[in-house]
Every structure is written in C-alpha cells, then in structure tokens.
Amino acid sequence: MLSRENMLQLFPKSARFVDIYLPFIQAVTNQYQINTPRRVAAFLSQVGHESAGFTVLLENLNYSADGLAMTWGTRFAQKDSAGKYIMVKDGSRLRRMPNADAQGLHRKPEAIANRVYSDRLGNGSEVSGEGWLYRGRGLIQVTGKNNYRACSLALFADERLLTTPQLLEEWQWAVASAGWYWDMRRVNRLADGDDFEAVTKSINGGLNGHAGRVAVYQQALSLFEVCQ
C-alpha cells in the first residue's frame, strides 16, 4: 500500500527524504497494525501535518509577537474589560493584539519554549530550560519531559531520550516515536470510525490545522482504496 510514488504524490516536498523515511514508515505501520486505507490515511495525514509534509522533525518556535497572540491567545493577546480579545485590522483580515509579554518574546524561540512549556508535561520551571530541551521532536512532535520519558522507555527500555532528546530528529526514531504515540493513544480505533475530528484531537489536543489534515486524509483515502 505504501510506496515511494504514493508518498510523493501526497507529500511532494519530501522528495529528498523519502528514500530514508519510507522503510521506517513501512515497518511502523506494519508493527502497529496501521494496515487499512482509513488507518493509513489517518496516520499519514496527521504525521504529515505535524512534520510539514515529512520535511521537519524539530518544532519551530520562532514566533513573532502576532504569531504568539494568535497561537496562545490566553497568554499573549490583549483583552478588553469584558474579557474579549482586542482585534485589529491587518489588510483584509483581523488579528489579535499582542500583549507586552508577546512583544518581549518576539522572535526568541528558546525563551518562548521555556515560557509556554514550563511547569507542565513534566517540565520544570521556566528557568530550568526544560521547555526548550523537550520541545516537539519527531514526526508527531513528542513534547514535554513526561512524554520523552515514556517514549524512551517504550523504544529503548531506558531513559536515554532525557539526556539525548535529539535522537528524535533522526528519521528512524522520528518515525518510531510517531508509531509509539499513535498506538499509545489507540488512534487506530478512532481512525476506524467516522469522526476524523476525534483523530485530530487525539494527536493535536485541539483542531489546529484540521482543514489541512482533512484534505490530505481524503486524498490519501482515495489513493489507498484504489490500491487495495
């Protein structure tokens, strides 16, 4: 079902990596029984979105102040006295007004990671630097110390990812970690159903980029149903 040709049809920007990652994708989908058109289409659409089409294995946190306000509004956008976001017109669209914190973190990816990921996901305080150390890596963007530890125990039977988290930037472990996360969250069961939003929420925690995920899912589903 998975071939070089159909991967490039779905993710043309990944041409320079496809011969590296494809054997790992084939192995992981076999290992975790991601073996029906619905399951394969769902898996590829989700990990493809998280990795910018199989081209990026490390989270990019180089946000502008505007980007921070749009991505983490509760932290970085100004609100009025009624608690509603203050919106400003930017050409033909409206955007949230960044607050002072957003302005101070503008284009400072390490500081942003340490702010937004501190004291959660098993990370220490902002000054610990663990937000940056355990930022998103791998095809599915494993994030946070707790998830790195759990992933490490599953893949290596030890905690090596806590000291060498950059292993998830290597294709073998980038793909393996995505398979582990998919299986751990039991996403095959969700993929078998008709609620694709539930699949996205299980991976993303919300519906960020859902429309793009749906588009790839539908394209992949049509492709793999023909291949069967």
Side-chain angles (χ1 to χ4, degrees), residues 107-141:
R107 300 297 184 193
K108 297 177 181 177
E110 184 169 354
I112 290 169
N114 287 329
R115 176 72 61 84
V116 300
Y117 292 139
S118 65
D119 297 311
R120 55 189 292 257
L121 302 171
N123 294 337
S125 66
E126 190 171 342
V127 297
S128 73
E130 290 184 341
W132 178 249
L133 183 62
Y134 302 120
R135 63 197 186 277
R137 287 186 176 87
L139 272 188
I140 217 158
Q141 296 290 289

Side-chain angles (χ1 to χ4, degrees), residues 16-212:
R16 63 191 174 119
F17 302 118
V18 66
D19 294 320
I20 303 172
Y21 73 68
L22 181 57
F24 299 129
I25 290 287
Q26 291 168 329
V28 160
T29 53
N30 182 64
Q31 178 182 357
Y32 293 110
Q33 297 184 320
I34 306 170
N35 54 9
T36 68
R38 279 179 179 263
R39 291 179 180 186
V40 175
F43 180 74
L44 292 181
S45 67
Q46 295 295 333
V47 300
H49 182 86
E50 296 293 333
S51 64
F54 287 80
T55 64
V56 174
L57 301 179
L58 179 65
E59 183 178 14
N60 179 9
L61 287 148
N62 189 28
Y63 287 95
S64 66
D66 286 339
L68 288 169
M70 293 305 295
T71 305
W72 288 287
T74 56
R75 291 172 176 257
F76 299 118
Q78 291 188 42
K79 295 181 179 180
D80 61 22
S81 58
K84 295 182 178 181
Y85 291 122
I86 298 173
M87 308 298 291
V88 294
K89 193 160 187 178
D90 184 5
S92 60
R93 69 184 183 94
L94 290 175
R95 61 174 176 80
R96 296 170 184 166
M97 176 74 75
N99 62 19
D101 281 347
Q103 298 289 355
L105 290 171
H106 176 82
R107 300 297 184 193
K108 297 177 181 177
E110 184 169 354
I112 290 169
N114 287 329
R115 176 72 61 84
V116 300
Y117 292 139
S118 65
D119 297 311
R120 55 189 292 257
L121 302 171
N123 294 337
S125 66
E126 190 171 342
V127 297
S128 73
E130 290 184 341
W132 178 249
L133 183 62
Y134 302 120
R135 63 197 186 277
R137 287 186 176 87
L139 272 188
I140 217 158
Q141 296 290 289
V142 174
T143 306
K145 190 174 185 177
N146 284 346
N147 284 325
Y148 272 80
R149 178 182 288 109
C151 182
S152 190
L153 290 171
L155 298 186
F156 305 108
D158 59 38
E159 296 188 349
R160 72 184 68 182
L161 288 180
L162 295 186
T163 54
T164 53
Q166 63 272 17
L167 283 173
L168 295 189
E169 297 172 49
E170 299 177 10
W171 278 107
Q172 179 179 0
W173 307 119
V175 175
S177 63
W180 160 76
Y181 193 81
W182 187 268
D183 185 64
M184 184 265 294
R185 300 283 293 178
R186 299 182 180 179
V187 188
N188 274 342
R189 173 177 54 84
L190 299 175
D192 290 340
D194 296 320
D195 186 359
F196 190 69
E197 281 195 6
V199 176
T200 296
K201 288 178 180 177
S202 71
I203 300 302
N204 177 256
L207 291 173
N208 294 330
H210 182 62

